[in-house]
Amino acid sequence: MTSRRPVGVITRGTTNPNRLRRCDRWLVATQAHRLRGAARSPVVVDLGYGASPVTVLELARRLQPVRPDVEVVGIEISPNGSPRENRWRARELASGSAGSRCRSTGVTRS
């Protein structure tokens, strides 16, 4: 029988503002052609964003000058260990429509 719980561990929570700025800048510098060349709006995933979605917002801010319609999604295992994942969309966070809540996806790991 397959487990319905997520496989993995919650990110340690060491994410601070600007912690991943060098990675983000490298991504923009070396992969901008992929964003610009995409036929449809590209989706970039911040997997394991930590205790707060600050890296999701920062990545979106750095990618949007290259491709304004890019969607950045942050996914983290739920702290309560449920088979759902916390999912943040940078657009909702930036606009304030996400408030203090997070949306859960129905994605489970086997």
Side-chain angles (χ1 to χ4, degrees), residues 24-90:
D24 294 351
R25 289 179 186 155
W26 175 86
L27 185 65
V28 169
T30 64
Q31 304 301 313
H33 68 281
R34 294 181 194 274
L35 291 173
R36 288 187 192 108
R40 298 186 332 216
S41 299
V43 176
V44 177
V45 177
D46 182 346
L47 184 60
Y49 60 77
S52 75
V54 66
T55 57
V56 179
L57 283 171
E58 290 176 344
L59 181 57
R61 284 187 200 121
R62 291 181 180 118
L63 294 178
Q64 285 169 345
V66 174
R67 181 78 187 241
D69 62 341
V70 67
E71 180 175 6
V72 179
V73 177
I75 299 176
E76 179 64 72
I77 295 173
S78 176
N80 67 7
S82 72
R84 294 182 172 263
E85 297 167 347
N86 293 328
R87 177 173 167 163
W88 293 90
R89 292 186 180 273

